[in-house]
Amino acid sequence: MNAPAQPPQPPQPLQRPRKPDWIRVKAPTSPGYAETRKLMRELNLHTVCEEAACPNIGECWTKKHATVMILGDTCTRACAFCNVKTGMPRPVDPLEPEHTAIAAAKMGLSHIVITSVDRDDLPDGGASQFVKVIQALRRETPQTTIEILTPDFRNKPESAVAAIVDARPDVYNHNLETVPRLYPTIRPGARYYASLRLLESVKRRDPSIFTKSGIMLGLGEERMEVHQVMDDMRSADIDFMTMGQYLQPTPRHTKVIDFVTPQAFDAYAQIARAKGFLQVASSPLTRSSYHAGDDFAMMRAARDEQLARARAD
């Protein structure tokens, strides 16, 4: 006799691992946060703080620090770790450079970080918009130092990156994101060594520009793979390395394999410093633009000290 058919079971909700205490943050409620949000809305600006669901948004926006994300809010790629929406982007906003400069001036920023979505639909990948933003910032708030965090400009002409370098940002950042082995699943639209070559080309074209790159930990990378990334970065003469904990933004994104302890982040930082980086930021909550202004000041001081020692020798 056949067993009675079982009624279909409802799908079980996807569970995300519980975050450890060391990466829990308070919900943003301060007046400074509200003022920053209002300013971004008034100027029709997007921020990676919101779009990428950054855990530090409460702290940063309270201090009126925001990372502006240019070229719209829609990315042409679909990386497995990223919360920025994917699709067909809208036309580039011609007012974006001036609005970004106005925001920086109104917030009184001594240091600003400008990033963007990937725009594979544009002939130059959006490089010309980065140039316009840098130029607008120099006009509107010349005392503000400028850090850019760009896409990889894959399959775009070399002149795209060259134009940005010639606009002379103070820091050129492009994140490697993870170890080479994980690229096919985590960053399928990019190529590890192409990203390294981009940063190498920046330093070769203008050695005075600081270069910076970062990776996420907790995606299943091995310790020695992280050490190899450090060596690869130093071979490309990258000045500043960041390491932070990957956090799964939604159940649809790639899972957290493990939560790396603060002690392990400290150990990675010690190794990175020993390998010769001018500056290292390594903690569970570290993100590319977290405390970027303070880190830039320390990096510049470290270079000055290094040059002074070289002259003395």
Side-chain angles (χ1 to χ4, degrees), residues 68-213:
V68 176
M69 189 174 76
I70 64 172
L71 296 166
D73 64 348
T74 305
C75 189
T76 53
R77 298 191 194 172
C79 295
F81 62 87
C82 185
N83 196 49
V84 176
K85 68 182 179 183
T86 301
M88 180 53 67
R90 295 177 182 176
V92 176
D93 179 3
L95 298 177
E96 200 173 51
E98 194 61 34
H99 286 174
T100 300
I102 291 169
K106 284 190 174 183
M107 289 190 287
L109 297 181
S110 59
H111 186 82
I112 188 170
V113 182
I114 306 296
T115 189
S116 80
V117 291
D118 277 285
R119 291 296 301 261
D120 295 313
D121 59 311
L122 300 174
D124 70 347
S128 58
Q129 189 78 337
F130 272 99
V131 172
K132 291 172 185 174
V133 169
I134 293 168
Q135 292 170 341
L137 286 164
R138 297 290 189 218
R139 287 193 306 268
E140 187 76 28
T141 176
Q143 76 282 359
T144 303
T145 50
I146 302 170
E147 178 173 330
I148 58 165
L149 171 57
T150 76
D152 60 6
F153 298 110
R154 187 165 174 248
N155 298 324
K156 303 302 177 187
E158 291 183 9
S159 58
V161 174
I164 298 175
V165 175
D166 291 347
R168 304 205 72 246
D170 297 280
V171 182
Y172 194 118
N173 185 2
H174 171 64
N175 285 330
L176 296 182
E177 304 293 10
T178 188
V179 301
R181 176 176 57 84
L182 297 178
Y183 260 56
T185 54
I186 301 302
R187 203 176 174 222
R191 299 295 180 268
Y192 177 81
Y193 289 103
S195 288
L196 270 177
R197 284 195 298 272
L198 182 155
L199 289 159
E200 194 172 35
S201 73
V202 171
K203 185 64 79 171
R204 188 168 56 246
R205 189 171 183 89
D206 189 341
S208 70
I209 295 177
F210 291 100
T211 50
K212 177 177 176 181
S213 190

Side-chain angles (χ1 to χ4, degrees), residues 185-251:
T185 54
I186 301 302
R187 203 176 174 222
R191 299 295 180 268
Y192 177 81
Y193 289 103
S195 288
L196 270 177
R197 284 195 298 272
L198 182 155
L199 289 159
E200 194 172 35
S201 73
V202 171
K203 185 64 79 171
R204 188 168 56 246
R205 189 171 183 89
D206 189 341
S208 70
I209 295 177
F210 291 100
T211 50
K212 177 177 176 181
S213 190
I215 60 172
M216 301 170 289
L217 302 183
L219 288 164
E221 66 288 332
E222 299 292 336
R223 182 169 57 88
M224 294 311 296
E225 289 179 308
V226 176
H227 293 178
Q228 184 61 55
V229 170
M230 294 177 187
D231 289 336
D232 292 341
M233 286 188 183
R234 289 305 300 131
S235 295
D237 204 16
I238 293 168
D239 299 300
F240 185 173
M241 181 180 189
T242 62
M243 289 171 275
Q245 171 70 53
Y246 166 67
L247 298 175
Q248 186 183 11
T250 75

Side-chain angles (χ1 to χ4, degrees), residues 13-24:
L14 296 171
Q15 296 294 320
R16 282 184 281 177
R18 182 179 174 83
K19 295 177 185 176
D21 292 339
W22 64 75
I23 54 174
R24 297 190 188 184

Side-chain angles (χ1 to χ4, degrees), residues 36-80:
T36 302
R37 189 175 188 275
K38 182 172 181 285
L39 180 62
M40 295 300 115
R41 296 294 180 275
E42 288 174 350
L43 293 171
N44 194 32
L45 293 173
H46 303 287
T47 68
V48 75
C49 322
E50 292 179 288
E51 305 299 338
C54 180
N56 303 315
I57 188 171
E59 177 186 346
C60 294
W61 281 28
T62 294
K63 298 176 181 177
K64 296 191 176 180
H65 294 170
T67 298
V68 176
M69 189 174 76
I70 64 172
L71 296 166
D73 64 348
T74 305
C75 189
T76 53
R77 298 191 194 172
C79 295

